[in-house]
Amino acid sequence: MQAKLLLDDGTLFTGESFGAEGRQVGEVVFNTGITGYQEVLSDPSYCGQIVTMTYPLIGNYGITRDDFEAVRPFVHGFVVRRHEEVPSNWRAQYSLGTLLKEYGIVGISGIDTRMLTRKIRSAGTMKGIIAAGDVSVEELRAQMNATHEIHDQVSRVSTRSVYNSPGNQERVVLVDFGSKSGILRDLTRRGCDVVVVPHDTTAEQILRLRPDGVLLSNGPGDPKDVPQAVETIRKLLGVLPVFGICLGHQLFALACGADTAKLKFGHRGGNHPVKDLASGRCYITSQNHGYTVQEQSLAGTGLIVTHINNNDGTIEGLRHENHPAFSVQYHPEASPGPYDSSYLFDEFLTMVREFKAGLPKIPRQTEMQLEARGV
């Protein structure tokens, strides 16, 4: 079956369909990972996006249940140069095409993904529509123009209820803005008692759980689309240790008074170099984000830049000079080959233990405020 990908600037790509039938509108982006297509598809941070893989052979090793980063994919389309229908991998349980059909995701193969990537790098990410079947360009254009940009991605991917992954060490509240399962794995591997809460959980509700620290997860979309989270983080700063990852990093910055802006084409892939300004060391990191914290907005916020992107100089890490709180723009739970950045979870837990040793878990003033509110 034929498939089409129409970009907002009028560029049309025609290829072969694999996956589900139908049409989907989304933001067209690219990922530079050589492996990890299953992790990309199941990363909630891609909610609403049509993902292009720059590596030409996709589907080689199939799909394995244990490699999912969420219970289901949230992408709005998948674009590859060549789709391998028959996987060769002893772990494979089914094919990439089967996964796309199961979750209603349209896939297109046989197009020039290098040309598409160069166009996105030149013009920036743009709206697009992907369709399987015999459909006219006029129909696609009309549907794309009639589809509004979505702003509720976080509410679509966040957990609806509180749940617990028990452990015998520190209790960490993981605020789920679209969290990858790797974050939960890294915390539980260290013995943490993890309580996962929805994205709109208030500071008072979090404090009621009596945590030792709070981790702000990754997630999709514009951080300014979740203002209630910014207010929650602002109330938690100085009361509990805070660690932010990706979207959590951006929300942490907004809570401190900094600003964010959209990148031209974002950072997506498993090979992005990040420099630690304290040590001078370069880490190879996994990234997936379309927004960045603006450095010129940091004045007066109490935030210090700890890491930068070696490709474009954008901010990749922040630390608060007065509160036990820090964040990174990249994904320390991901392992695109090396495990370079997993030490950040250890740093977070060290910060939690030092905070516990030096201060009450919840200051008495906060306890009195909670009692006055009936919490």
Side-chain angles (χ1 to χ4, degrees):
M1 184 185 297
Q2 189 182 79
K4 293 185 175 73
L5 172 65
L6 178 66
L7 303 183
D8 198 30
D9 68 354
T11 305
L12 176 67
F13 295 87
T14 302
E16 297 178 1
S17 168
F18 73 102
E21 297 183 27
R23 308 173 194 175
Q24 292 176 301
V25 178
E27 181 185 40
V28 184
V29 302
F30 65 86
N31 182 290
T32 58
I34 295 175
T35 62
Y37 57 80
Q38 181 177 341
E39 290 84 349
V40 168
L41 283 166
S42 58
D43 181 351
S45 296
Y46 283 105
C47 178
Q49 296 181 328
I50 298 172
V51 181
T52 304
M53 300 300 294
T54 62
Y55 188 71
L57 304 177
I58 302 297
N60 315 46
Y61 53 86
I63 299 295
T64 304
R65 183 194 64 183
D66 295 341
D67 292 342
F68 279 93
E69 286 292 348
V71 294
R72 56 152 298 158
F74 292 94
V75 301
H76 278 200
F78 203 49
V79 183
V80 303
R81 177 70 182 92
R82 177 176 169 179
H83 164 233
E84 295 296 331
E85 297 181 4
V86 182
S88 177
N89 175 15
W90 66 271
R91 296 178 68 240
Q93 295 169 310
Y94 50 99
S95 70
L96 171 60
T98 300
L99 173 71
L100 298 189
K101 289 176 183 176
E102 184 176 350
Y103 291 101
I105 300 167
V106 180
I108 184 173
S109 66
I111 72 167
D112 188 345
T113 51
R114 183 174 181 179
M115 172 189 170
L116 175 56
T117 300
R118 287 170 66 90
K119 176 172 285 292
I120 295 172
R121 283 181 57 87
S122 175
T125 56
M126 66 183 80
K127 194 176 184 180
I129 182 169
I130 186 171
D134 187 14
V135 57
S136 69
V137 174
E138 291 72 23
E139 286 181 84
L140 294 178
R141 168 65 69 181
Q143 182 173 343
M144 181 168 59
N145 290 340
T147 304
H148 299 292
E149 183 180 355
I150 61 175
H151 293 278
D152 63 342
Q153 295 102 313
V154 169
S155 64
R156 295 188 186 194
V157 302
S158 176
T159 181
R160 299 289 194 273
S161 59
V162 178
Y163 64 92
N164 178 226
S165 180
N168 57 8
Q169 298 296 321
E170 290 75 14
R171 170 168 287 187
V172 175
V173 166
L174 172 58
V175 186
D176 179 12
F177 300 110
S179 180
K180 294 167 63 181
S181 61
I183 295 177
L184 183 59
R185 284 196 303 268
D186 261 298
L187 290 172
T188 55
R189 187 180 295 132
R190 289 164 171 80
C192 294
D193 180 31
V194 185
V195 182
V196 184
V197 301
H199 70 98
D200 55 357
T201 304
T202 65
E204 291 76 19
Q205 290 170 328
I206 290 173
L207 291 171
R208 192 184 302 166
L209 296 169
R210 297 298 187 263
D212 299 307
V214 176
L215 198 153
L216 312 171
S217 85
N218 63 289
D222 186 343
K224 294 178 182 177
D225 286 341
V226 278
Q228 74 280 1
V230 175
E231 183 59 28
T232 293
I233 297 164
R234 187 176 291 127
K235 291 180 179 179
L236 293 174
L237 288 174
V239 178
L240 289 169
V242 174
F243 176 26
I245 294 174
C246 199
L247 180 64
H249 158 84
Q250 298 161 12
L251 292 170
F252 167 57
L254 290 174
C256 294
D259 197 12
T260 57
K262 190 170 185 178
L263 291 165
K264 186 175 182 179
F265 49 82
H267 301 154
R268 298 174 180 90
N271 48 7
H272 291 261
V274 167
K275 182 179 181 180
D276 183 333
L277 296 181
S279 66
R281 177 176 174 177
C282 178
Y283 294 90
I284 301 302
T285 68
S286 177
Q287 302 198 12
N288 173 22
H289 61 100
Y291 291 81
T292 185
V293 178
Q294 294 186 294
E295 187 168 6
Q296 63 270 27
S297 72
L298 297 182
T301 63
L303 294 175
I304 300 169
V305 179
T306 58
H307 300 74
I308 61 169
N309 189 294
N310 274 355
N311 288 334
D312 60 12
T314 53
I315 293 174
E316 293 282 356
L318 294 168
R319 184 179 294 274
H320 201 285
E321 59 184 356
N322 299 318
H323 303 312
F326 71 98
S327 64
V328 290
Q329 182 63 81
Y330 51 97
H331 287 266
E333 83 287 349
S335 50
Y339 291 83
D340 286 30
S341 304
S342 61
Y343 74 93
L344 290 167
F345 290 97
D346 298 316
E347 284 198 356
F348 171 55
L349 293 178
T350 296
M351 183 174 70
V352 167
R353 289 159 189 156
E354 290 176 349
F355 185 80
K356 286 175 64 178
L359 293 170
K361 186 180 297 186
I362 298 179
R364 180 57 189 158
Q365 182 181 4
T366 304
E367 290 274 13
M368 295 170 63
Q369 291 171 350
L370 293 175
E371 291 170 2
R373 297 176 194 165
V375 178

